[in-house]
Amino acid sequence: MVTSRSKRWNGNFDTLPVEYLKGVLEKMGEYGDRVQFSLISGGAEPSYQVVNTFGKTMAFDRNHHLFRVEGDEFTGVNASPIFTEEQIKAAISGIGASSRPASRTSRVVRASSGGTRTSAAKLEEQFAAQRYEYFKNNRQSLPPRISEYTEEITQLMKQGKSVEDAFGEVVKKYF
């Protein structure tokens, strides 16, 4: 519910601005064909996660920047139903998303206290963005199971290796 005290998204899909939905659709074109919105993120536009055909997710803030999920933002009553690309396109064209999955209550559960992220979390986010960008640009030449070694790649990056060197070392070690 939007009140004069709070400019938070009210969970009503039809209230999301067209420009925001176009940004969501752009990310869906790059990362996956389904999307789920957070009901607990602050602001008029919610954070969201794009889901690909393998069930993998990429989370974005309301400005369409990659971010790391820290808590239960996309579980249970804290998240919207999952919407398809067709539903987003229909909302942009003004038809609306009336073919919504089962309705939910609007109870909000906040998992973390405080709203500031530590520099360590920002660093993790930066590594995740670099890792994904490298993966996206090189997926044809990488082994199919490389994503199982994400944590090890991150650890190597924390030790000062470039993203290319970290991927290369993991490929040499396991494949």
Side-chain angles (χ1 to χ4, degrees):
M1 181 167 113
V2 177
T3 65
S4 59
R5 274 184 53 222
S6 170
K7 297 292 182 192
R8 211 175 266 230
W9 181 53
N10 64 5
N12 184 352
F13 186 76
D14 299 329
T15 63
L16 293 173
V18 171
E19 287 306 311
Y20 169 78
L21 289 174
K22 285 180 181 178
V24 170
L25 193 59
E26 183 180 319
K27 293 297 181 189
M28 290 175 76
E30 294 174 18
Y31 300 107
D33 60 343
R34 294 168 289 152
V35 66
Q36 183 177 38
F37 299 94
S38 170
L39 297 174
I40 62 172
S41 57
E45 296 92 13
S47 57
Y48 59 96
Q49 66 179 1
V50 175
V51 185
N52 71 16
T53 55
F54 301 109
K56 300 286 185 187
T57 60
M58 292 291 294
F60 299 91
D61 65 18
R62 66 178 163 261
N63 296 314
H64 311 292
H65 298 132
L66 189 66
F67 88 102
R68 182 184 177 118
V69 178
E70 296 179 4
D72 299 326
E73 255 187 274
F74 297 103
T75 58
V77 297
N78 294 338
S80 74
I82 294 177
F83 296 97
T84 64
E85 227 174 316
E86 291 75 27
Q87 288 173 306
I88 301 298
K89 288 177 183 175
I92 290 171
S93 68
I95 297 169
S98 57
S99 57
R100 214 180 269 183
S103 64
R104 303 177 174 251
T105 58
S106 294
R107 186 172 66 97
V108 174
V109 178
R110 197 168 284 281
S112 62
S113 59
T116 59
R117 291 181 302 152
T118 64
S119 58
K122 288 178 185 176
L123 190 59
E124 286 284 333
E125 216 172 272
Q126 187 178 32
F127 287 146
Q130 290 174 359
R131 247 190 1 255
Y132 189 76
E133 191 65 29
Y134 183 83
F135 173 78
K136 188 173 99 173
N137 294 331
N138 298 284
R139 79 174 65 183
Q140 301 301 338
S141 62
L142 292 170
R145 293 184 18 242
I146 192 73
S147 62
E148 294 174 16
Y149 301 93
T150 300
E151 291 303 315
E152 189 166 341
I153 292 168
T154 302
Q155 288 303 323
L156 291 168
M157 291 171 71
K158 285 180 180 177
Q159 295 169 7
K161 294 199 182 286
S162 69
V163 67
E164 296 87 4
D165 291 343
F167 269 89
E169 194 168 312
V170 167
V171 168
K172 258 189 230 173
K173 187 174 177 181
Y174 297 105
F175 303 97

